[in-house]
Amino acid sequence: PQEYIATNALNFQKKRDLVLSMFNAIDGIECYKSEGAFYLFPKCSALFGKKTPAGNVINSSNEMATYLLEKANVAVVPGIAFGLEGYFRISYATSESLLKDACTRIGKAIAELR
């Protein structure tokens, strides 16, 4: 049956739009709407040069991913793994409640950068 495809496509679109709006509300993050898959690539290069509460300087997508894992307990993939330094990849293939929680924790962690 093909109805499953349309229903799931709308479900993923809703999740994408939720995550997109939450990331674009975070100062220092820029995120564009994806047209496929279930990933977004938020741009985080505006945060490079900022210090974590522990005094470490964020200078790469690897360092950003490590910081978000350690501080926000959210796993993202550094953009450099895809040839996109200055970005990270995040999947929205999970529940809306988990997505809201993860985006909120990322926002709080980024707000602590100086």
Side-chain angles (χ1 to χ4, degrees):
Q2 297 299 305
E3 295 78 28
Y4 174 81
I5 294 170
T7 301
N8 273 347
L10 288 174
N11 186 30
F12 277 113
Q13 181 180 11
K14 183 178 175 186
K15 290 176 185 182
R16 179 203 60 202
D17 292 346
L18 168 71
V19 175
L20 182 67
S21 69
M22 290 186 78
F23 274 124
N24 280 326
I26 298 171
D27 194 33
I29 295 290
E30 227 179 311
C31 196
Y32 305 100
K33 184 168 69 171
S34 65
E35 295 299 327
F38 41 85
Y39 301 100
L40 288 174
F41 282 91
K43 184 177 181 183
C44 60
S45 59
L47 301 170
F48 290 1
K50 295 203 178 254
K51 287 187 179 180
T52 69
N56 300 318
V57 179
I58 305 284
N59 284 315
S60 69
S61 61
N62 278 323
E63 291 169 354
M64 178 60 72
T66 299
Y67 174 68
L68 293 177
L69 181 60
E70 292 173 352
K71 184 70 177 175
N73 293 316
V74 177
V76 300
V77 181
I80 193 67
F82 304 95
L84 291 171
E85 182 57 80
Y87 293 78
F88 60 87
R89 185 180 86 164
I90 189 162
S91 170
Y92 52 87
T94 189
S95 71
E96 282 188 46
S97 64
L98 286 175
L99 291 170
K100 286 179 187 177
D101 184 47
C103 290
T104 298
R105 285 187 276 140
I106 288 172
K108 286 180 182 175
I110 288 174
E112 292 184 26
L113 296 174
R114 301 285 172 237

